[in-house]
Amino acid sequence: MTWHATVLTLFPEMFPGPLGQSLAGRALQAGLWRLDARDIRANATDRHRTVDDTPFGGGPGMVMRPDVVSAALASVQDGRPVVYLTPRGRRLAQADVRDFAAGPGVVLLCGRYEGIDQRAIEAAAAQEISVGDYVLSGGELPAMVLLDAAVRLLPGVMGAADSATEESFANGLLEYPQYTRPAEWCGRAVPPVLLSGNHAAIAAWRQAEAEAITRRRRPDLWAAHTNNVARALAAP
Ligand code: SAM
């Protein structure tokens, strides 16, 4: 069955947006995944098609109503995981992306205003996922981030030439630095080992660079990586 993404949003016209271009766009055209963006407002029942109301307990802004959001979810739920994009969620990681790509697809719920009434999130047993520790004005860009990351891992989307196996996070490390022609540019030379043709030496250099850059830039990833290596070495 084709991997299927449904986005519930107040701005369906934002989609496919960037997902209609390049790798994801070609895969969409080729039928390697499906995308439908649905307007949450279509589920509003009053004359003014109201989707939000003032927060109980006071405070600024508006909150998206649980009845309207829940009706939007009910119209698309079919066993795919439901994700509410929110700055309060767990930070999206490559391991999550791999899990989503391995499943049947996702239903992505995009908030606006101050967010969505918590009861609708809980009733749908939605996973809450953030794309980083900053606040955007809506969940549409985070939904695109998650979809772009997942779609490139779907079978047939990336050619062998740009395989995901050596990328950052694939093996718990950041990627080694990349270089292309010219071999010397503005007085800066490419590391000589990369021109040596010695594949074992190149692989060793890349591994050492990946480890050094991860240790320097991401002590959290480095600690997890060294723990995993120690556990693997201790295993019978
Ligand atoms: N009042 C919310 C809070 O402080 O956590 C922020 C609401 S934000 C203005 C509106 C919507 O944008 C959210 O409901 C969510 O869907 C989306 N959003 C904003 N920042 C996000 C982030 N870092 N990750 C995922 N979604 C985000």
Side-chain angles (χ1 to χ4, degrees):
M1 223 176 44
T2 310
W3 199 83
H4 181 196
T6 298
V7 182
L8 300 174
T9 166
L10 292 175
F11 298 96
E13 62 281 6
M14 288 175 75
F15 292 84
L19 299 171
Q21 306 291 319
S22 190
L23 200 69
R26 284 196 299 275
L28 192 56
Q29 288 227 318
L32 296 175
W33 66 296
R34 274 173 63 205
L35 171 66
D36 60 287
R38 306 266 188 109
D39 191 352
I40 294 174
R41 197 176 294 281
N43 299 277
T45 50
D46 67 334
R47 204 156 54 91
H48 303 290
R49 310 189 74 205
T50 309
V51 296
D52 58 339
D53 210 327
T54 52
F56 279 124
M62 302 294 275
V63 177
M64 290 172 70
R65 293 174 54 117
D67 51 346
V68 178
V69 170
S70 187
L73 280 164
S75 69
V76 299
Q77 263 174 318
D78 57 4
R80 286 174 290 162
V82 177
V83 174
Y84 171 42
L85 286 316
T86 167
R88 300 184 323 162
R90 74 168 184 277
R91 188 103 55 90
L92 181 68
Q94 191 68 10
D96 301 307
V97 171
R98 274 196 292 267
D99 286 347
F100 289 130
V106 278
V107 174
L108 301 177
L109 183 55
C110 303
R112 281 272 157 179
Y113 319 122
E114 292 307 318
I116 294 176
D117 185 304
Q118 192 62 27
R119 292 167 295 177
I121 312 299
E122 287 168 12
Q127 301 181 44
E128 299 189 38
I129 291 190
S130 166
V131 291
D133 293 347
Y134 41 82
V135 179
L136 297 162
S137 49
E140 290 77 11
L141 292 174
M144 290 177 193
V145 166
L146 188 155
L147 289 178
D148 184 273
V151 162
R152 59 199 295 283
L153 299 185
L154 298 178
V157 173
M158 277 196 283
D162 34 31
S163 141
T165 55
E166 288 203 14
E167 289 184 326
S168 291
F169 312 115
N171 57 3
L173 296 173
L174 300 177
E175 196 188 53
Y176 48 81
Q178 298 274 12
Y179 300 89
T180 187
R181 291 186 184 80
E184 182 156 339
W185 172 77
C186 291
R188 294 166 189 264
V190 164
V193 64
L194 297 179
L195 309 176
S196 69
N198 181 336
H199 296 300
I202 291 171
W205 179 86
R206 285 178 165 168
Q207 179 68 19
E209 287 290 313
E211 290 179 3
I213 203 166
T214 306
R215 199 168 44 232
R216 212 165 49 241
R217 293 187 181 175
R218 291 290 302 273
D220 56 327
L221 285 183
W222 180 246
H225 175 72
T226 47
N227 278 342
N228 286 342
V229 171
R231 219 173 295 128
L233 289 174

